[in-house]
Amino acid sequence: MTEDQKATLAKLQELQGPEFSGRYHSDQVKVHADAVDLFQRYGEKGEQTAIRTWAASTLPTLQRHLDMAKELNR
């Protein structure tokens, strides 16, 4: 693990109950939004055809996961 990952883990271990849930939910939205952005960009303009095709075909699943992560906060 990187130092940043270790620090994040340490912070998460201090949280409990609603604080942990809130942090987990917001983190899930952020990482899924980042993944959607990355896959969308590579699916449109990626250099390697096979990876570009895979990214584009995986994008709808990631978008559904992002929608589900957003529902966690409701």
Side-chain angles (χ1 to χ4, degrees):
M1 288 188 358
T2 67
E3 291 304 314
D4 285 343
Q5 290 169 329
K6 289 177 185 177
T8 299
L9 179 59
K11 288 178 186 175
L12 287 173
Q13 288 174 328
E14 294 172 2
L15 302 177
Q16 294 186 18
E19 290 178 323
F20 177 85
S21 295
R23 174 68 184 267
Y24 176 81
H25 295 167
S26 64
D27 285 353
Q28 289 299 307
V29 170
K30 182 187 179 320
V31 297
H32 281 88
D34 290 348
V36 165
D37 179 59
L38 175 66
F39 276 65
Q40 187 170 27
R41 285 184 289 118
Y42 203 95
E44 293 172 358
K45 299 178 184 177
E47 294 179 12
Q48 296 185 13
T49 303
I51 297 173
R52 186 176 62 240
T53 301
W54 174 76
S57 69
T58 304
L59 184 58
T61 300
L62 288 174
Q63 289 172 322
R64 282 193 302 276
H65 289 182
L66 174 57
D67 291 340
M68 292 182 339
K70 288 177 180 178
E71 288 297 317
L72 290 172
N73 290 327
R74 293 180 183 196

